[in-house]
Amino acid sequence: RAKNEFRGTFSFFEAGMDAQAQIRRKIETELREAVQGDALRPYYQPLVDLSSGRITGFEALVRWPHPERGMISPAEFIPVAEETGLINAVGGLMLRRACADAAQWPDDVRVAVNLSPLQFRVGNLLSLVVDTLKQSGLPAKRLELEITETLLLEKSSEVLATLHALRALGVRISMDDFGTGYSSLSYLRSFPFDKIKIDQSFVRDLTANPDAQAIVRSIISLGKGLGVTITAEGVETEAEVNCLRNEGCHEGQGFLFSRARPNAEIVSLLKTQGNWSAPSGAALVA
Ligand code: C2E
Ligand code: MG
Ligand code: MG
Ligand code: MG
């Protein structure tokens, strides 16, 4: 908005742009090239059933292998992608690749794809998902879409209708980063979803901070009351797994199990999953 107002004088601002703004401009230009050159790739991080140790699915996380700067973190470029609208292209190509890859995995393994609120605004999300499922051959029930609480803040009837239509296809909806947004409990009643992902900030403090433990415990009981799956993000230690298991959390995701990996490593990762089944001996994948 501000940018449009100042468009006429933009070159003036450009000359005086601070370092931060220049970095963002550079990221924007290079990200656009990366999208056009099809350089972005999903990496996959396992979601692990805490009672059996089995992998139930993988979350697709975008990776940008940059020729000079190595792997660029999404934390660095997703905000720029959202500001510039490039997130629609990024989200579209992630969905297509993730569904195509997952269609080759065993048929009890799901894939979770992150959606930006902007992807709901462009209006073609439902047909994008329908077309992508059809092209990839992935059954809808093996696709999970991760949304954040900020999407629900808009209280839009279109968003609500899209979520219902996606679920009617058989796609599962996950509430990502739960507890960090501004959503009120009433949103949980009006919006349909199948999974709550407890944000890693609560999991990180779980074993040291009684308040974090109380919060995690209430999210788990809330989720159970609503009949949804509860996944803990950012699980890094065995102590955390034990605590989460005791609280009745269904699933875990985190460096303890594995970091996100390229698709080529998924099949061998699935073969090692038995290593996690023993509650006391969660084996690390190097
Ligand atoms: P997220 O969706 O909450 O994904 C989880 C993030 O936590 C990932 O960071 C993952 O690598 C990291 N993580 C997993 N386990 C651990 C752990 O044990 N410890 C710690 N410290 N971190 C862990 P990543 O890949 O850097 O992605 C960051 C965020 O960028 C994601 O958070 C998501 O919000 C966004 N993102 C990533 N890919 C996409 C995408 O394709 N589309 C959209 N819209 N957003 C994406
Ligand atoms: Mg996510
Ligand atoms: Mg998250
Ligand atoms: Mg997050």
Side-chain angles (χ1 to χ4, degrees), residues 78 103 111 121 129 133 225 257 263:
I78 291 288
V111 68
R121 274 193 220 132
V129 171
L133 288 172
F257 304 110
N263 186 49

Side-chain angles (χ1 to χ4, degrees), residues 59 61 114 146 176-177 197 233:
E59 178 174 3
L61 295 159
N114 291 283
E146 299 196 359
D176 203 357
D177 304 338
K197 299 186 78 176
E233 302 193 82

Side-chain angles (χ1 to χ4, degrees), residues 45 59 62-63 74 94 114 176-177 200 233-234 236 254-255:
Q45 188 179 33
E59 178 174 3
V62 65
R63 294 291 179 263
M94 283 293 287
N114 291 283
D176 203 357
D177 304 338
Q200 57 187 47
E233 302 193 82
E236 294 184 353
F255 296 165

Side-chain angles (χ1 to χ4, degrees), residues 46-81:
L47 297 147
V48 177
D49 180 287
L50 292 182
S51 56
S52 68
R54 293 192 64 82
I55 293 175
T56 60
F58 292 86
E59 178 174 3
L61 295 159
V62 65
R63 294 291 179 263
W64 179 6
H66 190 280
E68 289 123 46
R69 287 187 283 151
M71 205 61 94
I72 305 181
S73 159
E76 228 180 294
F77 67 87
I78 291 288
V80 178

Side-chain angles (χ1 to χ4, degrees), residues 230-242:
I230 305 121
T231 303
E233 302 193 82
V235 180
E236 294 184 353
T237 68
E238 289 227 31
E240 287 162 2
V241 168
N242 291 333

